[in-house]
């Protein structure tokens, strides 16, 4: 399995509408992608979120990410502070 962990810093807290759009246009697309395993959003604070996405392979992860990047940018692009910090790699332990 292959995981991507992205840390987002926000200028202000996400609104209910923005979270709904993200769920409909980003998370649901990821979840419907081949080899999708899991998605978790962790509220670190009102202005910080960590997103964990797991796919069966790196190729599937990258393809799915390419499909949702434009929608994500349109929904929250102006609220992101700087560049999101992303780490990716092979899942070596899980339960």
């Amino acid at each position: 399995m292959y995981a991507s962990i992205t840390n987002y810093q926000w200028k202000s807290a996400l609104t209910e509408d923005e979270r709904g759009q993200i769920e409909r246009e980003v998370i649901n697309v990821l979840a419907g992608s081949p080899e999708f395993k899991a998605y978790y959003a962790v509220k670190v604070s009102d202005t910080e979120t960590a997103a964990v996405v797991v796919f069966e392979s790196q190729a599937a992860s990258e393809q799915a990410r390419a499909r949702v990047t434009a929608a994500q940018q349109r929904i929250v692009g102006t609220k992101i502070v700087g560049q999101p910090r992303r780490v990716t790699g092979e899942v070596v332990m899980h339960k």
Side-chain angles (χ1 to χ4, degrees):
M1 287 188 293
Y2 187 82
S4 173
I5 303 166
T6 307
N7 185 275
Y8 298 94
Q9 297 284 331
W10 310 109
K11 292 177 184 174
S12 60
L14 295 178
T15 65
E16 284 293 322
D17 183 54
E18 289 165 334
R19 283 195 295 273
Q21 285 182 308
I22 290 169
E23 184 171 353
R24 288 186 305 275
E25 299 179 42
V26 176
I27 299 169
N28 287 343
V29 171
L30 292 173
S33 298
E35 300 186 41
F36 173 82
K37 293 295 181 189
Y39 177 93
Y40 302 95
V42 180
K43 180 181 176 182
V44 178
S45 72
D46 284 344
T47 58
E48 183 177 356
T49 303
V52 180
V53 186
V54 181
F55 279 86
E56 193 59 42
S57 69
Q58 180 178 355
S61 176
E62 291 171 355
Q63 290 167 1
R65 177 155 176 68
R67 284 195 294 278
V68 299
T69 299
Q72 183 178 27
Q73 184 64 27
R74 179 178 45 75
I75 298 165
V76 293
T78 60
K79 289 189 89 161
I80 297 173
V81 176
Q83 290 295 316
R85 187 180 54 184
R86 180 173 294 112
V87 294
T88 61
E90 179 184 354
V91 175
V92 295
M93 288 189 271
H94 67 91
K95 186 170 182 173

